[in-house]
Amino acid sequence: MDWEIIWNSIVDYIRVGIEFLLITFVIYKILYYLRGTRAVNVLAGLIVGFLALSILANLLGLNVLRWMLDSFMELMAFTIIVIFQPELRRAFAQLGSFTFFRRNRKRETISELLLAVKAMSGRRVGAIIVIERRIGMRAIVEDAIKLDCKLSSWLLQSIFYPNSPLHDGAVIVRNDRIVAARAILPLSRDANLSRTMGTRHRAALGITEETDAAVVVVSEETGDISIACRGAIMRGISEKNLENELNKLLLSNANTSESLTDILGSLDETEGEVDFHGDEDPDKINNAAERN
């Protein structure tokens, strides 16, 4: 038995498998990136039209049409560049910044959030900001007012300004962009929540019961800052602790099985208590999180 031939055959199979997986991955990423764009409809129309004309030319023997279609195929690369020029430019820009600057963009997002929350808390402007993490919220975004703009403190404050048409509902943040405003969130289904808890806080708990999103809430009545995640909420926390919790949630590489202690941490001793609501043991009141 020639072991060299066997080894070469194994290497060939491995090479073919790697090539197949690589091509599949590239095609999947291209289709995933182009989902929902206008260019996809244009490309689908081109493919359908090309196939229909090709079948017609072959059935009827239309040589001139077949020649035109063959010539068109030679120019397809340039056609794709023209059609997908905005998408290609955005894709290459994201590819160039993904590896090196993704963490910096997250830090910038946290910084802008903190500036906005601090300003709105000082003026007692109510706000609810949902930061998407691993689990997407496409259904909620589809029913909201869709936006696609870079997150900034000034923009958040403008959205939640009391006279703004978009101030009702929540803002959805994905990565470093605001993707939706005036989003309607599901309210918490927990019947044991205190009646003093407002709609914003109930909505914050509701969305965190269904997704792994982090939610920042500013109370309109008191200006208090709260943060919610995984069906638990910290209320009345300081800006410093808000920054710490956002860093844990957005910058850490922890998996989806994080405990509430790992996610929400604990409050400084100088901060006020975050009490439980319902019929809980009073000894638990000094804990750092409020569970649903």
Side-chain angles (χ1 to χ4, degrees):
M1 181 179 295
D2 193 339
W3 291 104
E4 184 178 356
I5 296 177
I6 296 176
W7 173 252
N8 291 335
S9 299
I10 294 175
V11 171
D12 290 337
Y13 281 120
I14 294 175
R15 184 183 297 111
V16 171
I18 293 175
E19 186 176 12
F20 174 78
L21 292 175
L22 182 61
I23 293 174
T24 303
F25 176 78
V26 171
I27 293 175
Y28 169 78
K29 281 296 184 181
I30 292 174
L31 294 178
Y32 181 82
Y33 181 80
L34 295 177
R35 72 194 190 286
T37 62
R38 297 180 180 178
V40 170
N41 297 330
V42 176
L43 181 62
L46 284 175
I47 293 175
V48 172
F50 181 82
L51 291 177
L53 291 176
S54 297
I55 294 173
L56 184 64
N58 290 328
L59 289 178
L60 301 181
L62 305 176
N63 296 328
V64 176
L65 181 59
R66 188 183 300 116
W67 173 82
M68 292 178 63
L69 293 174
D70 293 339
S71 301
F72 175 77
M73 284 299 298
E74 296 177 359
L75 299 175
M76 179 60 72
F78 298 99
T79 304
I80 291 176
I81 292 175
V82 172
I83 295 175
F84 292 97
Q85 186 268 336
E87 287 77 12
L88 289 173
R89 182 174 57 186
R90 187 167 65 250
F92 284 123
Q94 291 182 359
L95 182 63
S97 61
F98 180 80
T99 303
F100 301 103
F101 303 110
R102 185 177 182 180
R103 193 174 183 87
N104 290 336
R105 291 207 309 270
K106 286 184 177 181
R107 291 187 182 278
E108 183 181 352
T109 297
I110 294 174
S111 177
E112 292 294 328
L113 279 172
L114 291 172
L115 288 174
V117 169
K118 179 181 178 180
M120 291 186 291
S121 174
R123 299 197 306 268
R124 295 190 179 183
V125 174
I128 177 168
I129 305 168
V130 182
I131 307 163
E132 187 180 277
R133 297 173 72 205
R134 298 179 183 89
I135 301 176
M137 294 180 287
R138 172 174 290 186
I140 294 177
V141 172
E142 290 293 330
D143 292 335
I145 304 298
K146 292 184 181 179
L147 303 175
D148 184 17
C149 48
K150 185 175 178 59
L151 185 147
S152 71
S153 169
W154 293 110
L155 182 57
L156 283 175
Q157 294 181 61
S158 298
I159 290 175
F160 287 112
Y161 186 73
N163 293 328
S164 168
L166 300 179
H167 82 281
D168 286 330
V171 160
I172 309 296
V173 175
R174 180 181 298 150
N175 298 322
D176 61 340
R177 304 189 71 79
I178 298 176
V179 296
R182 204 182 172 92
I184 305 301
L185 305 181
L187 299 181
S188 175
R189 297 184 294 271
D190 190 349
N192 294 323
L193 292 177
S194 170
R195 295 180 180 178
T196 62
M197 183 175 289
T199 303
R200 286 191 178 91
H201 295 85
R202 291 177 179 270
L205 283 173
I207 191 62
T208 59
E209 290 169 354
E210 299 183 4
T211 71
D212 64 345
V215 185
V216 178
V217 182
V218 179
S219 172
E220 186 175 355
E221 289 77 18
T222 64
D224 287 346
I225 302 170
S226 306
I227 184 168
C229 190
R230 298 196 181 284
I233 186 168
M234 275 184 172
R235 301 177 67 185
I237 65 174
S238 66
E239 298 164 15
K240 176 183 176 182
N241 278 294
L242 175 63
E243 181 178 7
N244 291 337
E245 303 308 331
L246 288 175
N247 286 333
K248 292 177 186 178
L249 291 166
L250 303 182
L251 297 180
S252 67
N253 294 321
N255 56 34
T256 56
S257 62
E258 297 160 321
S259 66
L260 286 175
T261 302
D262 294 333
I263 294 175
L264 298 180
S266 60
L267 295 177
D268 289 342
E269 296 180 357
T270 57
E271 277 202 279
E273 297 171 350
V274 181
D275 59 326
F276 284 77
H277 291 276
D279 299 327
E280 294 84 357
D281 186 342
D283 293 337
K284 297 180 180 178
I285 289 179
N286 292 326
N287 287 339
E290 175 182 355
R291 302 172 192 271
N292 61 348

